[in-house]
């Protein structure tokens, strides 16, 4: 049995679908399973990664886990997984984690690195997926593209190599179901380094209308995002955007190495999500 946590999320929902399509016995963990329709093949359990007691039933009979990173959850998850006889864990970590750093820079890298640390010392077979910026982050522009052709946002020249969530999931499923991925750290990126302005242009081209990015002061965007995102995480995101200006985002081939298929482009991602825009 494979347990998928974060199963309602961008990546986890694809992991679940791919495992079901591959005929693997699958269980999904959710804090609020009643809020979603699940495929009949999925054994759905209620649980919370910050409540170790709720993991006992979820982990019973489980061999492998796709682990969503909840801050502070690493040690208790490892203890529960070991007790349950889990063998293998594939962690959705973050490209922000820096193996060379003595101290991780910012809360995003810090909490993912802490969970990686708990897994490294666990005796479980672990695989870490460290994605770059998700292409799905641009769904935050969808309200603007539905009502016009201008995306107003921070730092038009901030760069990243946006990665399709389905590619992250495909790597996860390989690591969950094939041998040879234990102890591997995969750095997952899209195939191109793009600025925010480039992303807006590609969005428009894929949708068949001219869309452009109009830079507005970062503070105004930060203010709007602060309704949903905690301040220290916002500091991290805005700091990363500012620091990326003028740099080409690193592009890796780990998705192709693991799945045998090149990473999907940002244009591919837009076409897969055109209805949202
Ligand atoms: N966005 C990026 O650019 C980026 C880049 C690199 C890494 N990442 C990492 O990728 C992850 C986000 O992945 P995603 O977009 O697939 O996630 P998502 O769409 O935000 O969904 C996460 C799911 O996790 C579940 N969840 C949240 N807290 C939980 C808890 N305490 N216990 C159990 N389940 C919990 C929720 O499901 P229920 O509500 O059903 O419980 C939720 O649907 C984060 O760790 C992030 O740091 C993101």
């Amino acid at each position: 049995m494979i347990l998928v946590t974060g199963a309602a999320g961008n990546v986890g929902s694809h992991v679940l679908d791919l495992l079901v399509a591959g005929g693997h016995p699958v269980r999904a963990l959710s804090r609020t399973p009643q809020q979603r329709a699940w495929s009949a093949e999925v054994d759905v359990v209620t649980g919370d990664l910050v409540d170790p007691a709720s993991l006992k039933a979820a982990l019973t009979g489980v061999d492998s886990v796709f682990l969503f990173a909840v801050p502070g959850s690493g040690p208790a998850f490892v203890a529960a997984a070991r007790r349950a006889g889990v063998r293998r864990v594939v962690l959705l970590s973050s490209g922000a984690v820096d193996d060379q750093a003595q101290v991780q820079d910012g809360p995003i890298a810090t909490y993912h690195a802490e969970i990686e640390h708990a897994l490294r010392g666990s005796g479980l077979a672990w695989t870490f997926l460290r994605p770059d910026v998700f292409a799905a982050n641009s769904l935050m522009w969808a309200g603007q593209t539905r009502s016009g052709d201008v995306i107003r946002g921070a730092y038009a020249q901030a760069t990243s190599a946006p990665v399709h969530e389905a590619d992250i999931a495909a790597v996860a499923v390989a690591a969950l179901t094939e041998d040879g991925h234990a102890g591997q750290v995969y750095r997952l990126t899209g195939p191109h380094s793009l600025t925010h302005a480039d992303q807006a242009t590609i969005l428009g081209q894929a949708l068949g209308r001219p869309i452009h990015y109009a830079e507005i002061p970062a503070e105004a965007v930060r203010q709007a995002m602060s309704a949903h995102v905690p301040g220290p995480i916002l500091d991290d995101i805005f700091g990363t955007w500012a620091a990326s200006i003028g740099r080409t985002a690193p592009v890796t081939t780990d998705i192709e190495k693991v799945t045998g298929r090149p990473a999907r482009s940002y244009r591919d991602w837009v076409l897969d999500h055109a209805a949202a825009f």
Side-chain angles (χ1 to χ4, degrees):
M1 175 69 81
I2 300 174
L3 176 69
V4 179
T5 68
N10 289 304
V11 180
S13 57
H14 282 278
V15 172
L16 208 55
D17 289 349
L18 288 170
L19 289 171
V20 167
H24 300 278
V26 156
R27 183 176 293 157
L29 179 87
S30 170
R31 293 163 302 172
T32 51
Q34 66 283 1
Q35 288 183 5
R36 197 188 158 199
W38 304 88
S39 125
E41 292 91 338
V42 178
D43 176 25
V44 183
V45 292
T46 304
D48 190 324
L49 284 159
V50 298
D51 173 14
S54 74
L55 297 180
K56 192 164 182 241
L59 287 167
T60 300
V62 165
D63 178 67
S64 304
V65 178
F66 173 72
L67 184 60
F68 177 81
V70 174
S73 66
F77 169 80
V78 163
R82 285 175 52 113
R83 269 196 303 275
V86 169
R87 281 193 316 119
R88 155 153 74 179
V89 178
V90 177
L91 173 69
L92 178 56
S93 185
S94 167
V97 176
D98 179 356
D99 290 324
Q100 310 308 319
Q102 296 282 340
V103 177
Q104 296 296 324
D105 185 16
I108 296 175
T110 300
Y111 82 76
H112 287 94
E114 284 171 358
I115 299 170
E116 290 190 1
H117 180 73
L119 287 167
R120 279 184 199 274
S122 68
L124 300 164
W126 52 262
T127 306
F128 300 153
L129 312 185
R130 291 184 182 164
D132 196 353
V133 168
F134 288 10
N137 291 357
S138 37
L139 287 169
M140 72 179 163
W141 300 330
Q144 298 193 65
T145 60
R146 283 199 298 269
S147 59
D149 291 338
V150 180
I151 295 169
R152 292 185 174 77
Y155 302 124
Q157 297 307 315
T159 57
S160 66
V163 58
H164 197 310
E165 62 278 3
D167 282 334
I168 304 171
V171 174
V173 167
L176 286 165
T177 60
E178 299 169 1
D179 291 332
H181 300 286
Q184 298 295 317
V185 178
Y186 295 124
R187 182 82 172 80
L188 307 178
T189 76
H192 305 114
S193 171
L194 302 172
T195 64
H196 282 156
D198 294 333
Q199 285 183 259
T201 303
I202 294 168
L203 251 167
Q205 287 165 349
L207 298 175
R209 59 195 171 94
I211 292 179
H212 83 270
Y213 196 91
E215 180 168 323
I216 60 172
E219 192 44 43
V221 183
R222 195 182 190 288
Q223 189 65 34
M225 289 173 73
S226 66
H228 313 286
V229 186
I233 300 284
L234 282 178
D235 290 344
D236 220 348
I237 293 169
F238 280 72
T240 302
W241 280 342
S244 73
I245 294 169
R247 296 189 189 159
T248 302
V251 167
T252 72
T253 53
D254 285 4
I255 288 171
E256 183 163 9
K257 274 191 223 146
V258 174
T259 68
R261 286 194 322 266
R264 292 162 169 94
S265 67
Y266 184 67
R267 180 184 162 81
D268 294 333
W269 181 88
V270 174
L271 292 172
D272 288 344
H273 297 79
F277 294 95

